[in-house]
Amino acid sequence: MNSPILIGKDLAIHKQQVLAQDIAKFNLNTPPHLVVMIVGNDPASQLYVKTKQKRCAAVGILSTQLTFNNDVPQETLLASIQKHNDDPSTHGILVQLPLPKHIDTQAVIEAIVPSKDVDGFHPFNLGRLAQNSPLLRPCTPYGIMQLLQHYAIPIQGQHAVVLGKSTIVGLPMSLELLAAKATISICHRHTHDIMQYTRQADILITATGQPQMIRADHIKKGTIVIDVGITRLENGSIVGDVHFDSVKNKAGGITPVPGGVGPMTVTALLQNTWQAYISQQSQLCPKNQTHYSDLDGQ
Ligand code: GUN
């Protein structure tokens, strides 16, 4: 039996088209504006930022990239964040991670005003998610939840195993799944015998960055496997945390890399930016008006 491939890329295209229509409907003089800050010249980060900006343009979101040298003082970065916090023509602020070692990432995350925190990493937004009352939701987990929903994958009562506990993916992913009434196991580098957990998973979300570490014997038959990892091997090929060819025939569903989770992450960022804009321009949204038709807030 071939497992269904969960094609994030196709769903992302559809969701972005819906979003573009929603934004166009308003015929806005001032479009939503996302400011993306990048420190240093890490090629992978530059590529991610370029992709985000390209997709912004395609749906009608203005984006500005601010590039800082690798040795930028933390105060300079914080001052720029503060400037955009105070600027009403900036609706979303994203600081691409990881940051150089001399910068306190948590201080940067907390410097962004929660209403413009389109990454959803600020303690306020993570706290809202933890209390099952989310506002701006971390993009990768939010994108994955939309993918699971699109493929009608049951979550309630399922055992979801999350590999990784980062603020970007593992932790908010666990909170999302918990809010959707799954039973959660979170594994990380100090977990003994990870396979003991992965073999119990109805849903396995892996965000370890260990290329192709998950093989067929890590899962039971029918597991839904969501691969957040992305690594470029020395031979130039791009792979995830999952050994796709051996796992795909045993899994009940599996995301490819590339073309699975990545495009859904970008989609969620665009949705968050629109949502941030809407809530900052509340006069555009009379009560009870449906302002964005495809944000189903599951
Ligand atoms: N680096 C890798 N993923 C992300 C993300 O979702 N947001 C930010 N800001 N940086 C990242």
Side-chain angles (χ1 to χ4, degrees):
M1 183 200 77
N2 277 340
S3 65
I5 314 272
L6 312 175
I7 312 166
K9 195 172 156 204
D10 288 356
L11 180 60
I13 289 170
H14 169 71
K15 296 243 173 206
Q16 289 178 29
Q17 281 167 349
V18 171
L19 181 60
Q21 285 161 9
D22 281 344
I23 295 175
K25 258 187 249 158
F26 284 93
N27 209 6
L28 301 165
N29 289 326
T30 355
H33 180 203
L34 173 66
V35 171
V36 180
M37 301 184 186
I38 180 165
V39 180
N41 51 11
D42 172 57
S45 290
Q46 283 180 330
L47 184 62
Y48 288 140
V49 165
K50 208 168 143 195
T51 305
K52 288 169 183 176
Q53 290 200 281
K54 210 166 133 191
R55 300 323 305 158
C56 276
V59 300
I61 293 173
L62 178 69
S63 70
T64 301
Q65 180 177 330
L66 301 178
T67 306
F68 298 88
N69 287 337
N70 206 51
D71 59 356
V72 65
Q74 178 168 313
E75 304 76 63
T76 307
L77 190 58
L78 293 179
S80 182
I81 291 170
Q82 194 53 51
K83 176 168 163 268
H84 288 282
N85 281 343
D86 295 339
D87 183 346
S89 71
T90 297
H91 306 100
I93 301 170
L94 179 150
V95 181
Q96 186 66 25
L97 303 178
L99 290 167
K101 286 206 165 53
H102 70 279
I103 293 181
D104 176 353
T105 300
Q106 190 59 23
V108 168
I109 288 172
E110 292 188 26
I112 299 170
V113 66
S115 59
K116 297 187 182 183
D117 168 37
V118 287
D119 262 327
F121 297 158
H122 190 283
F124 176 84
N125 283 315
L126 277 181
R128 293 291 301 222
L129 178 59
Q131 295 189 337
N132 196 9
S133 187
L135 292 170
L136 294 169
R137 300 157 71 173
C139 299
T140 299
Y142 183 24
I144 291 171
M145 293 308 282
Q146 294 185 66
L147 191 64
L148 295 174
Q149 190 188 43
H150 174 77
Y151 282 96
I153 291 164
I155 300 175
Q156 184 173 322
Q158 300 294 291
H159 185 188
V161 176
V162 179
L163 305 187
K165 64 172 186 60
S166 70
T167 304
I168 299 179
V169 183
L171 179 64
M173 188 73 247
S174 307
L175 295 174
E176 287 278 2
L177 291 161
L178 189 60
K181 303 186 177 71
T183 300
I184 318 297
S185 296
I186 307 172
C187 301
H188 46 79
R189 67 179 78 244
H190 298 290
T191 302
H192 299 293
D193 191 7
I194 280 187
M195 205 184 259
Q196 173 201 334
Y197 297 91
T198 59
R199 282 183 169 166
Q200 290 180 37
D202 299 310
I203 300 170
L204 176 65
I205 315 263
T206 168
T208 68
Q210 299 291 319
Q212 299 180 313
M213 72 168 268
I214 300 297
R215 301 197 163 242
D217 59 352
H218 279 87
I219 64 163
K220 62 181 183 184
K221 200 162 167 33
T223 299
I224 303 295
V225 180
I226 305 293
D227 191 350
V228 183
I230 180 157
T231 305
R232 185 182 288 276
L233 298 180
E234 271 174 16
N235 67 11
S237 62
I238 293 181
V239 298
D241 290 354
V242 177
H243 191 269
F244 187 83
D245 288 339
S246 70
V247 173
K248 74 170 191 289
N249 295 325
K250 195 172 179 189
I254 183 169
T255 56
V257 176
V261 171
M264 291 306 298
T265 297
V266 176
T267 303
L269 171 67
L270 305 174
Q271 293 170 326
N272 277 351
T273 305
W274 179 231
Q275 187 182 334
Y277 176 87
I278 292 271
S279 45
Q280 287 161 49
Q281 312 274 321
S282 53
Q283 75 275 13
L284 280 176
C285 311
K287 275 205 173 94
N288 302 326
Q289 183 181 331
T290 306
H291 23 265
Y292 40 103
S293 58
D294 209 34
L295 266 184
D296 30 31
Q298 28 144 354

